[in-house]
Amino acid sequence: SPWATPEWKYVQPLSRGLVPEPEPCIETRLSISNRNLSTSHTSSGDYTDFYSSKDHATNVGIMFRGKENALMPNWLRLPVGYHGRASSLVVSGTPIRRPCGQMRPDQTKPPIFGPSKQLDLELEMAFFVGGKSQLGEPIPINKAHEHIFGMVLMNDWSARDIQAWEYVPLGPFLGKNFGTTISPWVVPMEALLPFAESNPLQDPQPLPYLQHEDGYTFNINLFVSLKGTHPNTHKKLANIWYISLHIIMTLAKRKFTLFPQNPGSFGSMLELSWRGSKSIDIGGGKTRTFLKDGDEITITGYCEGDGYRVGFGLCKGIILPALND
Amino acid sequence: MSFIRVNAASDFSYQNLPYGVFSTSDNPRHRIGVAIGDQILDLSVIRSLFIGPVMSKHCDVFDQPTLNAFMSLGYEAWSEARRTLQNLLSDNEGILRDNVNLRSRAFVSQSEAIMHLPADVGDYTDFYSSKDHATNVGIMFRGKENALMPNWLRLPVGYHGRASSLVVSGTPIRRPCGQMRPDQTRDIQAWEYVPLGPFLGKNFGTTISPWVVPMEALLPFAESNPLQDPQPLPYLQHEDGYTFNINLFVSLKGQNMTEAVNICSSNFKYMYWTMKQQLTHHTSNGCNVRPGDLLASGTISGPNPGSFGSMLELSWRGSKSIDIGGGKTRTFLKDGDEITITGYCEGDGYRVGFGLCKGIILPALND
């Protein structure tokens, strides 16, 4: 394949020679024309979303099914995932319109159609696939690295009320596919490998096709901040937390564990507000359970080197009001 | 009628005129064609004959290797192009009929053509819109009381499928390996699908027939919509009949069989949700669609066992044997089995059909 790892390795030393010495955390104003990028289509690819944070899956499970049935039996055996919508992937800076949809807030009454009242963010990271595989032929785990090109930050915006009503039994659909934001700079895996650590213990041990020894868990600090429309409403929703990104492969899957287990590290408002039961303080006397119109969410992240950073730029989006009927 | 002779049982009548993408051994370039009788009219050869007000400015779309550009032009363009084709193929029009040189360049025999996927599919969505199928599956897995989930009758339930593994009819399908709990039926799907839906149980391969039948060819076969109870919310309501009487057949030919055996006779009119409702629901939240996107109906099953559209239902979760003749039976597919789906609308002395949607099962790869 013309895109296999050797070519990627070749490009990097050349570019290092052409740029000045790296500077710590360069503040850049990205003047990408967001509208053009968000509407241009160069290829028809696929987008898959995994569910690989044990804390997130457990929190959501507790909220929706109770403590005993929090994690489904398959969760610890395989990286659960589902297909997402490629057409609604947008670059950082693209405004996100609050979706309308069908929902059933009161189970004793018929469902209704209207603007989502439970608009949420989801802090994620994502990797791009390189090279190609043949239909019918798996990528063995010892070759997976040849197909993992690089990473971006992602916000998997979610409408929890639309999602809750539609998702049984075929999974999330319109509660997700109204928009998904990614950061614009794809950080190559070679830039991240210096920050790889050993993988977390997986218990039970996965089946052989999912086992690999080499550490592919990445120490990337991640931050989510919310800026409301009122003055002084600009606060980090989550403090610095330690992110372990452990990649396990068959056809390039991704696993992602949040440490430590404290509320300051939860990656969605569903969890931070515990399904709307707690208020999240955003400063200036204001609180949130879910997102309001005009809220701007910014996700940032970086690996901390010795006197330098490897970061991702911004993954940002502002919420526009729902369209009137 | 056309100057190209079409027999009454052909899928590709003058009333059909479906679009596809093909190549030939002497010209491997993918190009757009229209099927008629046993011929293909190569639109790249006759594109300058599209002289209507819309298509005259855009006839270069027929020079493309996929239908996406033509699809992107919209409703008026499709309609005008169809009228042009009907005129060019008419036995009353001499432009093509009488031009021996042009005819020899413009027509290719279907038997010499290799068909390809007709469009670059950006996103593929699969719905679940047959009430009989959803009820059968629900009864099998949850019992009669909980057969249909509460949302099923309120919105057209669907999920995203995988675009990369869409293949054209004739592509062999490799039996997938996967993680499963051996005591479950439809093994890979049953173990993985809670709570986020089907994934690897589906995305190892999906086959489509190569000829895209335009809606204008199907509209004469539209009937009134089934009663929907409870009535859907206003955004999903439409009065006009968009329920199509399309006869559908599934046949199976095992490795040592000389002929295929019919295992299902069904009809597209059995669907509960219409395509208009599916598309409207899909974009109701602002989700964008692009030309070439594919939206599938979900398994089509009718009210009688002979019309069930999956072996899961035909064998009732493996509890009954499906008779395929010669003393042979099936519950699920075996290596070497070839499945062929066909379908057509029955007109008065003609058919509007789809060609073949075929695939043979290859054995799983050894580790």
Side-chain angles (χ1 to χ4, degrees):
Chain A
S1 153
W3 298 340
T5 314
E7 274 71 20
W8 307 340
K9 281 183 141 83
Y10 183 68
V11 167
Q12 281 195 316
L14 271 181
S15 57
R16 278 196 205 112
L18 291 169
V19 300
E21 290 296 320
E23 296 169 26
C25 196
I26 297 169
E27 297 278 336
T28 53
R29 281 270 187 104
L30 293 171
S31 60
I32 293 165
S33 170
N34 294 322
R35 194 160 55 82
N36 290 340
L37 280 171
S38 66
T39 55
S40 72
H41 309 297
T42 52
S43 66
S44 45
D46 278 292
Y47 154 48
T48 301
D49 195 23
F50 285 97
Y51 189 44
S52 295
S53 160
K54 193 174 176 190
D55 291 285
H56 173 68
T58 305
N59 288 340
V60 172
I62 292 173
M63 278 186 254
F64 287 92
R65 288 182 289 277
K67 219 163 185 170
E68 279 91 50
N69 302 312
L71 271 192
M72 295 278 108
N74 57 12
W75 197 94
L76 290 170
R77 302 288 192 171
L78 53 83
V80 177
Y82 68 100
H83 300 114
R85 178 84 184 172
S87 71
S88 49
L89 282 163
V90 295
V91 78
S92 175
T94 307
I96 299 289
R97 176 121 5 234
R98 175 180 299 274
C100 290
Q102 210 189 108
M103 51 197 94
R104 202 172 198 175
D106 184 345
Q107 295 291 314
T108 66
K109 299 203 175 93
I112 57 172
F113 184 85
S116 170
K117 293 196 164 85
Q118 296 186 339
L119 193 50
D120 200 356
L121 64 103
E122 275 190 359
L123 165 65
E124 301 201 27
M125 294 199 72
F127 66 89
F128 278 100
V129 171
K132 265 167 102 166
S133 67
Q134 292 305 311
L135 184 65
E137 292 174 23
I139 297 172
I141 199 159
N142 61 4
K143 296 258 190 264
H145 65 284
E146 293 175 8
H147 296 266
I148 304 173
F149 179 79
M151 303 198 70
V152 293
L153 303 170
M154 172 179 280
N155 187 339
D156 184 19
W157 307 95
S158 307
R160 301 297 181 193
D161 36 15
I162 297 175
Q163 185 183 347
W165 176 227
E166 71 181 352
Y167 91 105
V168 181
L170 300 181
F173 186 50
L174 306 185
K176 297 279 187 172
N177 68 8
F178 59 91
T180 305
T181 303
I182 64 170
S183 53
W185 296 104
V186 187
V187 178
M189 294 317 292
E190 282 210 52
L192 297 171
L193 279 167
F195 303 95
E197 305 182 349
S198 44
N199 307 321
L201 174 70
Q202 291 181 318
D203 179 23
Q205 191 185 42
L207 285 165
Y209 79 102
L210 290 172
Q211 292 175 19
H212 73 98
E213 298 279 308
D214 54 310
Y216 215 69
T217 294
F218 295 87
N219 185 341
I220 306 173
N221 302 293
L222 296 168
F223 308 91
V224 182
S225 70
L226 183 153
K227 178 148 102 60
T229 48
H230 296 278
N232 299 318
T233 53
H234 187 170
K235 184 153 179 174
K236 285 215 170 93
L237 286 183
N239 298 318
I240 295 175
W241 65 71
Y242 180 89
I243 300 298
S244 296
L245 183 63
H246 173 194
I247 298 187
I248 54 175
M249 287 303 121
T250 54
L251 293 175
K253 293 183 204 286
R254 162 181 71 94
K255 186 172 173 166
F256 176 145
T257 312
L258 284 166
F259 289 117
Q261 289 166 320
N262 70 65
S265 67
F266 291 170
S268 70
M269 293 174 84
L270 178 70
E271 295 160 272
L272 289 164
S273 77
W274 207 256
R275 209 180 177 180
S277 64
K278 295 182 197 168
S279 291
I280 305 162
D281 175 21
I282 60 164
K286 303 280 179 218
T287 61
R288 287 288 185 273
T289 48
F290 289 100
L291 295 170
K292 283 191 175 355
D293 293 342
D295 283 353
E296 185 175 65
I297 294 291
T298 305
I299 297 175
T300 50
Y302 59 82
C303 307
E304 188 78 74
D306 187 11
Y308 69 92
R309 286 180 178 172
V310 173
F312 293 81
L314 304 179
C315 177
K316 185 153 84 166
I318 193 164
I319 301 299
L320 300 176
L323 286 175
N324 289 323
D325 248 30
Chain B
M1 295 304 288
S2 173
F3 60 87
I4 302 283
R5 287 285 148 255
V6 183
N7 76 58
S10 167
D11 277 350
F12 305 122
S13 59
Y14 177 65
Q15 288 83 348
N16 186 352
L17 307 181
Y19 299 96
V21 169
F22 74 102
S23 64
T24 50
S25 51
D26 63 317
N27 181 359
R29 186 169 81 95
H30 290 204
R31 48 213 195 270
I32 295 170
V34 167
I36 178 152
D38 59 2
Q39 301 291 302
I40 303 175
L41 175 60
D42 186 335
L43 298 195
S44 71
V45 171
I46 60 152
R47 68 186 180 282
S48 59
L49 297 181
F50 288 86
I51 54 173
V54 180
M55 290 308 299
S56 55
K57 304 192 209 93
H58 296 290
C59 62
D60 56 313
V61 301
F62 293 135
D63 229 3
Q64 297 295 310
T66 66
L67 287 167
N68 294 66
F70 178 46
M71 289 167 169
S72 76
L73 293 180
Y75 192 73
E76 264 197 71
W78 311 334
S79 202
E80 187 190 280
R82 183 172 172 79
R83 286 194 294 279
T84 300
L85 285 167
Q86 289 169 328
N87 185 49
L88 292 174
L89 289 167
S90 160
D91 53 11
N92 290 327
E93 174 55 65
I95 293 178
L96 193 52
R97 183 193 67 193
D98 300 335
N99 186 333
V100 172
N101 181 295
L102 185 58
R103 266 178 82 162
S104 69
R105 287 188 294 116
F107 284 97
V108 168
S109 171
Q110 281 169 28
S111 60
E112 286 165 18
I114 303 151
M115 301 306 299
H116 306 283
L117 277 175
D120 277 332
V121 177
D123 282 288
Y124 154 49
T125 301
D126 196 19
F127 284 95
Y128 189 42
S129 295
S130 160
K131 193 173 176 191
D132 292 286
H133 173 69
T135 305
N136 288 340
V137 172
I139 293 174
M140 279 186 253
F141 287 95
R142 288 184 289 276
K144 220 163 182 169
E145 278 91 50
N146 302 311
L148 273 190
M149 293 280 107
N151 57 12
W152 198 94
L153 289 169
R154 302 287 192 171
L155 52 84
V157 177
Y159 68 101
H160 299 115
R162 178 84 184 176
S164 72
S165 49
L166 282 162
V167 295
V168 78
S169 174
T171 307
I173 300 291
R174 173 90 50 204
R175 177 182 297 277
C177 290
Q179 211 187 106
M180 60 191 83
R181 278 233 154 118
D183 51 330
Q184 291 176 308
T185 23
R186 267 227 192 155
D187 35 33
I188 299 174
Q189 183 183 346
W191 176 226
E192 70 181 355
Y193 91 104
V194 182
L196 299 181
F199 185 48
L200 307 186
K202 296 282 189 172
N203 68 8
F204 60 92
T206 304
T207 303
I208 64 170
S209 53
W211 294 105
V212 188
V213 178
M215 295 317 292
E216 282 207 52
L218 297 171
L219 279 167
F221 304 94
E223 304 181 348
S224 41
N225 307 321
L227 174 69
Q228 290 182 319
D229 178 26
Q231 192 186 42
L233 285 164
Y235 80 103
L236 288 172
Q237 291 176 18
H238 71 95
E239 296 280 309
D240 54 311
Y242 214 69
T243 293
F244 295 89
N245 185 340
I246 306 175
N247 300 293
L248 297 166
F249 306 94
V250 183
S251 71
L252 185 154
K253 179 146 101 69
Q255 200 154 27
N256 298 314
M257 291 165 62
T258 45
E259 275 185 32
V261 167
N262 178 278
I263 59 171
C264 166
S265 299
S266 198
N267 197 299
F268 191 47
K269 68 183 183 187
Y270 296 138
M271 304 311 287
Y272 186 86
W273 294 103
T274 70
M275 291 180 281
K276 288 190 178 188
Q277 291 173 320
Q278 290 166 340
L279 181 61
T280 301
H281 181 66
H282 201 327
T283 62
S284 63
N285 64 344
C287 177
N288 53 336
V289 292
R290 299 179 287 189
D293 283 349
L294 192 65
L295 278 66
S297 59
T299 302
I300 300 166
S301 292
N304 312 308
S307 66
F308 291 172
S310 69
M311 293 174 82
L312 179 70
E313 296 162 88
L314 290 165
S315 76
W316 207 257
R317 209 179 175 180
S319 65
K320 296 182 195 168
S321 291
I322 305 163
D323 178 18
I324 58 168
K328 297 195 201 303
T329 60
R330 288 288 186 273
T331 48
F332 288 98
L333 294 169
K334 284 192 181 341
D335 293 342
D337 283 353
E338 184 176 65
I339 293 290
T340 304
I341 299 175
T342 49
Y344 60 84
C345 307
E346 187 79 74
D348 188 11
Y350 69 90
R351 284 180 177 172
V352 172
F354 292 79
L356 304 178
C357 179
K358 184 152 86 164
I360 194 164
I361 302 299
L362 301 175
L365 286 176
N366 288 324
D367 250 29

